[in-house]
Amino acid sequence: MAPALSPTRSHHVAVIGAGPAGLVAARELRREGHSVVVFEKQKQVGGTWIYTDEVESDPLSVDPTRSVVHSSVYRSLRINGTRECTGYRDFPFVVRSGVSRDPRRFPSHGEVLAYLKDFAKEFGIEEMVRFETEVVKVSPAAEEGIGKWRIESTEKEKKVRRDEIYDAVVVCNGHYVEPRLAQIPGISSWPGKEMHSHNYRIPEPFRDKVVVLIGNSSSAEDISRDIARVAKEVHVACRSNPADTFIKQTGYNNLWTHSMIESVHEDGSVVYQNGKTISVDIIMHCTGYKYHFPFLDTNGIVTVDDNRVGPLYKDVFPPAFAPWLSFIGIPWQVLPFPMFELQSKWIAGVLSGRIPLPSKEDMMIEIKTFYSTLEVQGIPKRYTHRMGNTQV
């Protein structure tokens, strides 16, 4: 086991992002006695829960020169977990008299944002946040001492560029910004419109169109039903469906589920593995996102390989930099808010010296054993951070 840090030692910690993960991280770090600065690119707290009608100029969000829109929230979105499973432990997501805009048990995105603002106000978190400040680069500052980190940032309004040294960095920048796309044979010559669900907001632009959505998770299910109200036809394709899948959805006369797309063609047609051929106007990729840390420079020590962020001990600490660099919110298929809170408590306690970590060597052994287990089970790298995988 690695030697513990000096008990209850205070450190100067940078938190990147003021969404649900960054807010609770800031609270727990300060509770543990650390000094905290939160860097937030937007004008307010909330992260991906800040709804905007704005979408990116590139509907597929692959152009590196595009102006990035952080939020992937669409207007009709409601949480797919209950209030009871969404809030933090000592600030439950309950209906607040005179405050709640949406008292439903599965409320809208606006109610979640209101809850996060209430949380930030209750615990005085905004006083730690530098709004409209973009983190440009995070890198080890070895010349300043072991574990030190250099953060270069820019303030939008003042056009000020800062170069600062911190003892530790907690990365909470979310992972719903950089889309993953399906590979479709023939797509380069297909004449229709392609887009990613990141840029979906309202159904009206799909009126009287024939639309294909690719995906089998919450966004594909939500959006397909949203646009079925106005579209001519909606077809949902998914690679995990059997090749002969062709199901008309109950309650709809214009919504079908298919197997995956086999190919698309110059005449606008889409051919499915089930043999069906349909002329299509729009293909929407509801295919998830890539982990993306454009500001992080670790000289190749922490990498993203086929959506595996690694090496990370328990999805949080890279052994080479532990405990001075950590990540919150990497796992998926989780209860996000409770997980963010527990990860934050762990990180704060480790930094103060109250909670020890294993040695770097032992952490790496556990990580490699876990990777080997996934490989033996035939689980692709891209599912490394899916909770429910065999743990060791």
Side-chain angles (χ1 to χ4, degrees), residues 184-192 194 263-269:
I184 306 172
I187 196 65
S188 61
S189 57
W190 185 71
E194 273 191 285
S263 60
V264 297
H265 301 275
E266 292 181 5
D267 62 358
S269 63

Side-chain angles (χ1 to χ4, degrees), residues 39-241:
F39 294 84
E40 173 51 54
K41 192 175 180 179
Q42 302 186 85
K43 295 180 180 179
Q44 59 179 305
V45 302
T48 196
W49 291 100
I50 302 171
Y51 174 80
T52 174
D53 289 323
E54 185 182 359
V55 296
E56 296 179 2
S57 56
D58 174 10
L60 282 173
S61 298
V62 295
D63 182 356
T65 66
R66 74 190 189 280
S67 179
V68 174
V69 175
H70 186 78
S71 181
S72 297
V73 169
Y74 38 94
R75 186 175 292 177
S76 65
L77 185 141
R78 293 169 61 184
I79 62 172
N80 58 2
T82 64
R83 284 178 176 270
E84 294 88 339
C85 295
T86 301
Y88 306 117
R89 291 196 301 175
D90 59 357
F91 193 77
F93 189 19
V94 297
V95 177
R96 289 176 167 80
S97 178
V99 177
S100 296
R101 299 174 176 84
D102 182 352
R104 292 175 293 183
R105 196 178 182 201
F106 296 85
S108 68
H109 56 82
E111 180 74 355
V112 180
L113 180 60
Y115 167 75
L116 292 171
K117 289 181 175 180
D118 289 344
F119 177 81
K121 182 178 180 181
E122 176 73 15
F123 295 99
I125 297 171
E126 287 197 1
E127 66 191 37
M128 296 184 272
V129 183
R130 292 182 189 168
F131 291 106
E132 295 190 276
T133 301
E134 180 177 3
V135 173
V136 178
K137 187 176 181 180
V138 175
S139 57
E143 71 281 4
E144 300 291 338
I146 296 174
K148 301 291 185 179
W149 289 84
R150 182 181 303 279
I151 293 187
E152 299 172 36
S153 63
T154 56
E155 268 188 71
K156 182 179 178 181
E157 288 298 319
K158 299 178 182 177
K159 294 185 171 62
V160 172
R161 188 179 182 101
R162 284 193 173 100
D163 186 328
E164 301 169 298
I165 302 297
Y166 288 83
D167 297 320
V169 177
V170 183
V171 179
C172 307
N173 68 321
H175 46 85
Y176 297 103
V177 174
E178 198 73 13
R180 288 173 63 90
L181 302 175
Q183 300 301 309
I184 306 172
I187 196 65
S188 61
S189 57
W190 185 71
K193 176 184 177 180
E194 273 191 285
M195 64 179 294
H196 190 275
S197 58
H198 178 66
N199 293 303
Y200 175 76
R201 296 293 183 268
I202 57 175
E204 190 56 38
F206 302 88
R207 182 171 294 278
D208 301 324
K209 303 292 185 181
V210 178
V211 185
V212 170
L213 292 86
I214 303 173
N216 195 35
S217 60
S218 300
S219 61
E221 188 172 347
D222 271 1
I223 295 171
S224 64
R225 284 160 172 73
D226 206 20
I227 65 177
R229 297 184 290 112
V230 301
K232 181 179 179 182
E233 296 177 12
V234 180
H235 302 267
V236 181
C238 177
R239 65 183 173 193
S240 62
N241 289 339

Side-chain angles (χ1 to χ4, degrees), residues 282-321:
I282 302 168
I283 293 176
M284 185 187 303
H285 297 252
C286 302
T287 43
Y289 296 84
K290 302 174 185 177
Y291 296 100
H292 190 54
F293 312 102
F295 51 81
L296 188 58
D297 180 4
T298 63
N299 199 28
I301 293 175
V302 178
T303 63
V304 181
D305 179 14
D306 192 20
N307 241 25
R308 170 186 285 174
V309 184
L312 292 182
Y313 177 66
K314 305 295 188 186
D315 296 301
V316 173
F317 291 106
F321 297 118

